[in-house]
Amino acid sequence: MTRSAISLGGGLLVVGIIATVWWNGAREPYALADAPKIDVTVRAEKSTYPDVQQTTKDVDTVVRVYVQRLKDGDAKGIADLAGPAYKRPGPAAATYVREYGRAADGPVEVTVLEGPVGYFNSVEVAYQETGQRQELLLVKDDGHWWIGLGDGDPAAGM
């Protein structure tokens, strides 16, 4: 093998490693599944602060995944959305499935409320099927939004 071929191979290896790290770091650790289909609208609370619009874009995926897992009755999947600083999210996740799972069959409106700081944000989830409302605390940790679910200190990872 020539010196230039070895150099090219080494360069490609470095580029591959960098691309893999970037790809894994840029993607969220959760994603919507193909089924079940959900009808979710995510919008910002009327606010004079422009960061509410940005937060709405940032939390869109996690709240949609939450509603999809509710509709599917997937308590373990909901527990997996708990912030890293939270312990024992399973019982709370099971309670949410019991209380709101059927409600997730219909249209769901999520309103992102003004957050007190950049790493905590509440959302109000309105289930049109049953008229129920739920407030969830979202916690940003390591660049991703999670649900405050279970026992824990939401500021522990900050």
Side-chain angles (χ1 to χ4, degrees), residues 1-133:
M1 202 179 268
T2 67
R3 194 175 283 229
S4 62
I6 292 172
S7 179
L8 177 63
L12 289 175
L13 178 63
V14 170
V15 168
I17 291 170
I18 290 170
T20 300
V21 169
W22 174 82
W23 177 253
N24 288 331
R27 290 188 339 199
E28 293 167 323
Y30 39 76
L32 280 169
D34 292 336
K37 298 292 182 201
I38 54 171
D39 180 4
V40 178
T41 302
V42 182
R43 64 179 178 79
E45 173 182 46
K46 289 188 190 301
S47 173
T48 58
Y49 298 103
D51 58 332
V52 178
Q53 291 294 331
Q54 183 59 49
T55 301
T56 300
K57 291 176 188 173
D58 294 346
V59 303
D60 185 86
T61 300
V62 72
V63 295
R64 288 177 188 278
V65 170
Y66 170 74
V67 172
Q68 187 178 54
R69 291 178 182 178
L70 267 181
K71 184 175 181 174
D72 200 30
D74 183 5
K76 177 171 179 344
I78 290 172
D80 290 343
L81 297 175
Y86 287 84
K87 308 294 181 234
R88 297 185 19 85
T95 298
Y96 286 176
V97 167
R98 275 193 313 277
E99 290 183 12
Y100 304 105
R102 188 178 68 78
D105 283 339
V108 177
E109 291 186 8
V110 177
T111 303
V112 178
L113 307 175
E114 286 182 14
V117 293
Y119 46 87
F120 293 139
N121 220 99
S122 291
V123 297
E124 182 180 80
V125 185
Y127 302 94
Q128 292 182 9
E129 183 84 7
T130 61
Q132 291 172 286
R133 293 190 170 296

